């Protein structure tokens, strides 16, 4: 049924901006089959040889903050400015819920109909490491296909923010201006990752609280150590439904990228991210192999309980497990 | 030269509170020699069988905040209340600087002379994993020797705070009341780990700023999500030189431990910590073995450069490295 395409053929179509070829290429990198992985590697190597000046932007925020509406408005504005936009999502829970996968496309109606936008739901695929890998490789494919702005949404489940933060150049935290404890819903550590805080839904009843919220977030951000780049994290406001505030958001993003590029930090951080994923992929695979060993599995169950009860120290338990693994490897 | 002691003999002396035996036992767990490790395991297993109701408290703060003076004052107050106090340090840099090792003992003059205090400098020993292991095992030995309060100082270098945080029941952040940007010197993420913030040096010229600093820290702490235990992180003040504030600090610590014990969280968090160290020890050892493979070493050098330059994806590079390792293992 599935017509075979050579990797060279797929690559040519991909760099010509063919959306079907891009979709197929993404399906290829998402596949865990050995033969697909080999082909994906070939394709990615060809893509990596091309220079791309893309901007990778991560977007996070608690459920209900309006991420999809914001991304749609931002994407349409970018396209109006002559850009090509790819929207990806990292949702390690998508195997279970499915909802969010379909949700994105139907919610971003206008953007998904635009010829200069490409929307791809989160890969399903178990471990976060797997989702991270396919998303990162999908970014490379989208860039080769000419998309110069890659927006990656995190659903805020598990470690998804940390993953997205390690995949992008700029991390945007979307928040609401509610009265009172507006920060309480935000997960630990997220605020520190943000390169820009945007108060969404600056309209209707919320608008009354916006000024106070801007001051509150600015103060909270001031509590954190300065960014190494020297960048001061701004607090901006917007209304995704009334389409206000996006000019300023994009102008500020422009300043951010100008700073990151002129200081060489953009390249530096991408190189750091690549090294991070290299070692993380190695660690994950080593642990998987270790834990899949039947001898280890059995012994680990027993030892983990003893460790949790304090009947054996964790380091001794690790030593014992590794000693036994040694004997059979 | 070194008189051999059986493990049973060492254990008996240890639980009788013999300080020399405790020192020797710590030297044993700190040793990386295979035969010492085997003996250490025997000893630790015997110690782990004993029930101990100790309190493990971590203390962090930037250089100059007065950690040693604070720990000495806190330790002396605990001893005055009938407690036995062990003071440990986690200093992954101690191999290089040495200074801090000697420093501790000379600085904590009064405490180190007290029969109910036991002070042990940071183990030297390369990787942070190694330092963590010996410190954690030293805690077990000190508890078996009857020390009911274990104070662990972090020097704030590298990942030492994270390590100490994963070794203790309560984490105290020591700060100063300076005018202005008092939070700027604090490393990312440290504030969120704190179970108690103490403003030290509430004396002399600093005292004028204390009230403002208390309000500032309380506000900053309010920005973080609530602790799972329901504990509200308090901001207290003290003067380690004028010995003021320690009654309140200890009374608040009492409340903290009462909450943690009555809700079962103390046990739960210790079990979680043990599991964390089990898996971390496994990961570290697996990575060490992998990276020590000469074939891997050579190939990694080449691939890491290519990854950093974006010429090959990190996941592909990992796959290639692991494929080759497979062939020879």
């Amino acid at each position: 049924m599935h017509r075979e395409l050579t990797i060279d053929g797929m690559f040519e179509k991909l760099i010509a901006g063919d959306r079907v070829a891009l979709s197929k290429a993404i399906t290829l990198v998402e596949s865990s089959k050995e033969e697909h992985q080999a082909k994906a590697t070939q394709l990615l190597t060809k893509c990596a040889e091309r220079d791309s000046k893309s901007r990778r932007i991560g977007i996070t925020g608690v459920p209900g903050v309006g991420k999809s509406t914001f991304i749609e408005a931002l994407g349409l504005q970018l396209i109006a400015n002559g850009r090509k936009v790819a929207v990806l999502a990292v949702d390690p829970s998508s195997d279970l819920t499915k909802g969010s996968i379909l949700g994105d496309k139907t919610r971003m109606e206008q953007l998904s109909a635009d010829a200069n936008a490409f929307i791809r739901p989160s890969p399903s695929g178990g471990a976060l490491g797997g989702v991270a890998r396919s998303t990162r490789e999908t970014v490379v494919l989208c860039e080769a296909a000419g998309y110069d702005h890659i927006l990656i949404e995190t659903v805020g489940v598990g470690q998804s923010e940390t993953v997205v933060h390690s995949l992008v150049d700029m991390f945007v935290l979307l928040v609401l201006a509610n009265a009172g404890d507006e920060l309480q819903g935000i997960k630990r550590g997220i605020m520190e990752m943000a390169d820009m805080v945007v108060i969404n839904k600056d309209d209707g009843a919320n608008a009354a609280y916006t000024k106070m919220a801007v001051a509150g977030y600015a103060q909270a951000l001031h509590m954190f150590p300065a960014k190494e780049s020297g960048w001061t994290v701004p607090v901006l406001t917007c209304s995704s439904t009334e389409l206000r505030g996006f000019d300023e958001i994009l102008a500020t993003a422009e300043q951010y990228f100008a700073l990151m590029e002129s200081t060489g930090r953009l390249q530096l951080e991408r190189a750091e991210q690549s090294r991070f994923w290299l070692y993380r992929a190695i660690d994950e695979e080593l642990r998987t192999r270790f834990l899949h060993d039947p001898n280890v599995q059995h012994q680990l169950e027993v030892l983990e309980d003893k460790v949790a009860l304090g009947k054996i120290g964790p380091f001794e338990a690790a030593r014992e497990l590794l000693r036994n693994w040694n004997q059979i490897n």
Side-chain angles (χ1 to χ4, degrees), chain A:
Chain A
M1 303 302 273
H2 179 261
R3 254 193 316 170
E4 281 297 326
L5 195 62
T6 65
I7 290 303
D8 283 345
M10 194 182 253
F11 178 69
E12 290 308 325
K13 287 192 169 187
L14 187 71
I15 59 172
D18 183 319
R19 299 162 67 97
V20 177
L22 177 55
S23 286
K24 280 190 183 169
I26 296 174
T27 305
L28 195 65
V29 304
E30 284 178 358
S31 165
S32 51
K33 282 193 193 158
E34 195 69 43
E35 51 174 306
H36 292 166
Q37 289 283 316
K39 284 188 174 180
T41 300
Q42 276 180 56
L43 181 62
L44 288 163
T45 306
K46 287 173 89 70
C47 291
E49 280 161 7
R50 293 169 57 84
D51 263 334
S52 128
K53 290 237 171 206
S54 78
R55 292 173 174 186
R56 304 168 184 170
I57 302 173
I59 292 144
T60 191
V62 297
V65 76
K67 286 192 290 292
S68 293
T69 331
F70 174 81
I71 289 170
E72 174 157 52
L74 186 71
L76 290 170
Q77 179 76 53
L78 282 165
I79 288 168
N81 295 353
R83 308 299 186 181
K84 288 188 71 179
V85 179
V87 179
L88 313 176
V90 166
D91 181 359
S93 70
S94 65
D95 268 347
L96 299 170
T97 59
K98 297 284 179 195
S100 56
I101 296 184
L102 300 171
D104 278 341
K105 283 225 178 187
T106 45
R107 274 179 294 155
M108 299 185 197
E109 249 177 78
Q110 234 188 306
L111 191 64
S112 58
D114 199 296
N116 290 311
F118 179 84
I119 302 184
R120 178 86 181 188
S122 175
S124 56
L128 203 54
V131 174
R133 182 187 59 73
S134 16
T135 305
R136 201 182 184 286
E137 295 178 346
T138 298
V139 168
V140 173
L141 297 175
C142 289
E143 289 170 354
Y147 293 92
D148 48 35
H149 278 70
I150 318 290
L151 309 181
I152 311 183
E153 176 185 349
T154 111
V155 292
V157 173
Q159 293 287 306
S160 58
E161 292 100 338
T162 315
V163 166
V164 170
H165 183 250
S166 300
L167 291 174
V168 299
D169 307 316
M170 182 181 184
F171 198 61
V172 177
L173 172 63
L174 215 58
V175 297
L176 289 181
N178 288 325
D181 290 339
E182 51 267 318
L183 291 161
Q184 292 297 320
I186 298 169
K187 273 201 288 184
R188 290 173 176 271
I190 302 301
M191 189 90 132
E192 296 202 29
M193 291 181 193
D195 299 304
M196 184 191 281
V197 174
V198 177
I199 300 178
N200 195 18
K201 303 192 184 174
D202 177 19
D203 42 47
N206 274 333
Y209 303 113
T210 305
K211 251 197 182 161
M212 229 168 62
V214 170
Y217 279 101
Q219 195 171 28
L221 287 165
H222 183 68
M223 301 289 177
F224 294 119
K227 299 254 173 194
E228 275 179 60
S229 58
W231 175 250
T232 306
V233 181
V235 183
L236 305 173
T237 64
C238 77
S239 164
S240 299
T241 51
E242 297 175 9
L243 298 179
R244 270 188 297 97
F246 287 91
D247 284 342
E248 203 191 340
I249 290 171
L250 289 179
T252 311
E254 211 55 59
Q255 289 168 18
Y256 174 80
F257 279 100
L259 176 75
M260 296 297 278
E261 279 162 11
S262 66
T263 55
R265 279 206 69 86
L266 194 78
Q267 280 304 104
L268 201 75
E269 288 193 2
R270 283 197 179 182
E272 268 173 26
Q273 287 175 348
S274 297
R275 277 203 203 88
F276 167 81
W277 288 113
L278 170 64
Y279 282 99
R280 174 138 170 193
I282 290 172
D283 286 347
E284 264 192 30
E285 177 60 24
L286 289 173
R287 194 198 267 206
T288 303
R289 288 189 191 184
F290 180 71
L291 297 181
H292 273 55
D293 183 306
N295 278 35
V296 168
Q297 259 174 22
H298 174 73
Q299 207 193 1
L300 183 63
E301 266 176 52
V302 179
L303 281 174
E304 193 173 338
D305 285 346
K306 284 178 80 175
V307 162
L309 290 168
K311 292 296 165 210
I312 180 174
F315 298 96
E316 292 153 61
R319 232 176 284 142
E320 201 163 319
L321 281 163
L322 284 153
R323 197 164 34 230
N324 286 16
W325 196 50
N326 226 354
Q327 288 165 358
I328 52 164
N329 268 265

